[in-house]
Amino acid sequence: MLNGDESASRELVSLQPGRIACVTMQRAGALNAFDIEMAEALRHACEQALRDEATRVLMLRGLPKAFSAGGDTACMRADPARNPARIIEPLHALIAALAEAPIPVIAAVEGVAAGGAVGLTLACDVVIASSNARFNLAYARLGASCDCAVSWTLPRLLGWRRALHMLMLEPEFDAQAALRLGLVNQVVDAVELEATVLTVAQRLAQGPRASWAEMKRLLRLSPELGLPQQLQAEAEAFARCAASADFKEGLAAFAEKRAPVFGRGS
């Protein structure tokens, strides 16, 4: 998707930093399944990208032709008392970091996304899937419960009854079903995925960083707050945006009937 120098963590995950930072899962031969090392490498790469002030958009993808098969069952079988928790801990820390991230996060999903990898996509702000994407939430097949915030995001997107029905009775679905359910934003042909995701990322990277951050925070807060508290949170967020250079640029561009150029003062 993007070319250039990459810093790798034992070849499991690569990070290409920049205005549009790209984190690529590339655990060859394992469909990018999360073992302990893979989970920790993914968390490290994403947190490194988020710490970089130059990053305005974070993109997540998997190569070759798979997002991730979820938790590595061989790793869990090796020590079922300890290894599942050692995989889950860094992934949960990563999902919390993505929720708090002040920038947009995009997932490019091609091929399989299973278990915790579905949770990871749902934790992203924008999800673009290829037409060959396949989603699998078959936790019950392993005698397990869901992880990676699936139990938090799925009922908020689908409602409690439909979320439970999906987990129990329809855990596997394709890209078009995910689109109908509102679990992804867009479905494109596999050959168009790279260009489509990059186009969306470029649009977001040109936007107002403070505005994106406040909108993400407000939307995540809204299910937990009453209307008076949400109105107060909106007023405070607007005031913070109004103090930014991007807001001044937006007002000037509107008055001058031109497109705004954000980011010059941030």
Side-chain angles (χ1 to χ4, degrees):
M1 186 174 297
L2 297 173
N3 297 314
D5 295 332
E6 295 182 340
S7 58
S9 176
R10 299 190 62 167
E11 304 303 321
L12 297 176
V13 178
S14 67
L15 165 63
Q16 181 182 324
R19 187 175 176 87
I20 300 172
C22 184
V23 171
T24 304
M25 297 176 285
Q26 50 188 35
R27 189 183 172 205
L31 294 177
N32 299 320
F34 302 132
D35 63 3
I36 297 165
E37 188 178 11
M38 175 74 170
E40 291 177 344
L42 180 61
R43 173 190 179 183
H44 174 76
C46 290
E47 290 183 345
Q48 183 177 338
L50 293 175
R51 285 194 300 268
D52 188 344
E53 288 295 324
T55 305
R56 297 187 72 87
V57 176
L58 174 61
M59 297 165 47
L60 302 181
R61 66 171 182 171
L63 291 178
K65 296 185 178 180
F67 189 73
S68 170
D72 187 316
T73 56
C75 178
M76 290 188 281
R77 286 179 62 196
D79 189 347
R82 295 191 303 167
N83 282 358
R86 295 172 69 190
I87 296 170
I88 287 173
E89 182 180 358
L91 292 177
H92 282 195
L94 168 59
I95 287 171
L98 296 182
E100 296 294 328
I103 60 172
V105 182
I106 305 176
V109 183
E110 184 174 7
V112 64
V118 179
L120 181 59
T121 67
L122 298 180
C124 296
D125 303 308
V126 177
V127 184
I128 300 175
S130 73
S131 55
N132 68 3
R134 297 293 182 271
F135 299 85
N136 188 314
L137 287 166
Y139 288 99
R141 188 176 298 166
L142 299 178
S145 61
C146 43
D147 60 357
C148 292
V150 167
S151 63
W152 192 91
T153 53
L154 206 61
R156 283 165 169 77
L157 290 168
L158 301 181
W160 178 87
R161 190 169 302 280
R162 193 165 191 180
L164 192 59
H165 176 89
M166 175 170 288
L167 287 166
M168 289 182 168
L169 297 173
E170 295 185 46
E172 300 179 44
F173 50 98
D174 62 15
Q176 288 298 331
L179 182 64
R180 289 194 299 271
L181 291 166
L183 303 182
V184 305
N185 298 87
Q186 188 175 358
V187 175
V188 298
D189 290 338
V191 294
E192 298 174 358
L193 182 63
E194 181 176 323
T196 301
V197 173
L198 189 56
T199 297
V200 173
Q202 289 170 337
R203 285 184 60 189
L204 290 171
Q206 294 168 0
R209 180 184 173 113
S211 178
W212 295 159
E214 296 292 357
M215 288 179 183
K216 284 184 60 172
R217 190 181 65 82
L218 286 168
L219 290 179
R220 291 186 183 277
L221 277 175
S222 63
E224 317 301 330
L225 298 181
L227 178 59
Q229 292 79 19
Q230 188 70 17
L231 290 172
Q232 181 62 31
E234 286 184 347
E236 292 171 358
F238 200 103
R240 287 190 292 270
C241 286
S244 70
D246 280 346
F247 185 72
K248 295 176 183 176
E249 165 61 11
L251 290 178
F254 184 83
E256 297 165 13
K257 295 182 173 56
R258 59 173 175 81
V261 181
F262 294 120
R264 292 185 294 191
S266 60

